[in-house]
Amino acid sequence: MSEKQALARQHQELTFCISVTALSIFRYITDHCMDIPLAVLTRILNTNNAVGMLVELVERAPWIQTSKCSRGDTVYSIFADGAWRFVDADEMQRLGKVEAQVWIALYNLLLDNECRRKFNYTDGKKATVLKLRPYIDETLVDQLPVLAHLQRYLDELLIMEISTWALDESFLVEEVAE
């Protein structure tokens, strides 16, 4: 591996580590949705669609890597504590720290009362959120019991009808510093 390739790989690993740290910080912010200013909460939920981004993370699971070894067997590695660690296939069902952060942030953003009032559902956002249903199984709920409430919410969302007239027609006046 050349020096340039090594630097590029190190940059990629460092960027990923910083992203995971930012995700952890974001999860802690979602723990305090009631204390977040209205403008910030609106940007998180509707302008930036953080729920959609978190759903995408669940689907892609960038904290898991699979590769083939020389014998042809599949080798798994999980990102935890700032490094990639090889794990057995049996341990793949175990909830990792990064994945838990994503699920807790989703739980906070979808089930917090203030967030539920401010999140503007459309048919597209509803379809995106419902993509989570196959991922919440008994094993996941056993490891993170609060997800039982999220599972129930997704079941309710499935039968809920999204009407365009019900969207929040209010507007937000935001003071911007010069």
Side-chain angles (χ1 to χ4, degrees):
M1 180 183 306
S2 73
E3 186 175 317
K4 188 174 183 177
Q5 289 173 328
L7 283 173
R9 181 166 172 81
Q10 185 179 18
H11 178 266
Q12 183 181 18
E13 289 175 5
L14 186 59
T15 301
F16 186 77
C17 190
I18 291 168
S19 300
V20 168
T21 303
L23 176 65
S24 180
I25 292 168
F26 178 71
R27 197 284 288 179
Y28 286 112
I29 290 171
T30 65
D31 284 344
H32 302 284
C33 288
M34 292 295 288
D35 300 326
I36 296 175
L38 177 63
V40 175
L41 189 59
T42 301
R43 283 181 189 269
I44 288 172
L45 293 171
N46 298 315
T47 306
N48 296 326
N49 192 15
V51 172
M53 288 188 278
L54 291 170
V55 170
E56 186 74 21
L57 280 175
V58 168
E59 289 182 309
R60 292 182 183 230
W63 49 86
I64 298 173
Q65 290 182 344
T66 59
S67 58
K68 296 281 186 189
C69 69
S70 59
R71 295 185 317 230
D73 296 337
T74 303
V75 178
Y76 300 98
S77 56
I78 294 180
F79 189 81
D81 299 324
W84 290 97
R85 303 192 194 297
F86 290 105
V87 294
D88 295 332
D90 301 340
E91 292 184 48
M92 290 303 296
Q93 291 294 321
R94 183 179 299 162
L95 184 66
K97 291 179 183 180
V98 179
E99 186 178 6
Q101 298 287 352
V102 173
W103 282 111
I104 293 170
L106 279 165
Y107 172 82
N108 290 337
L109 292 176
L110 292 172
L111 294 177
D112 180 82
N113 288 333
E114 190 66 24
C115 291
R116 286 177 86 162
R117 279 196 301 273
K118 296 299 172 197
F119 189 56
N120 292 332
Y121 271 105
T122 61
D123 288 331
K125 286 182 180 178
K126 176 183 173 182
T128 299
V129 171
L130 288 175
K131 289 179 183 178
L132 294 171
R133 290 185 79 225
Y135 295 99
I136 303 176
D137 57 9
E138 189 176 324
T139 306
L140 184 62
V141 173
D142 285 345
Q143 295 175 68
L144 203 55
V146 296
L147 292 184
H149 300 293
L150 180 58
Q151 188 175 36
R152 178 174 159 74
Y153 175 76
L154 294 175
D155 291 342
E156 292 171 3
L157 184 62
L158 182 64
I159 59 173
M160 186 171 81
E161 190 66 37
I162 303 295
S163 57
T164 55
W165 64 267
L167 290 176
D168 186 14
E169 294 295 328
S170 62
F171 65 94
L172 180 65
V173 177
E174 184 176 348
E175 184 178 341
V176 179
E178 291 186 49

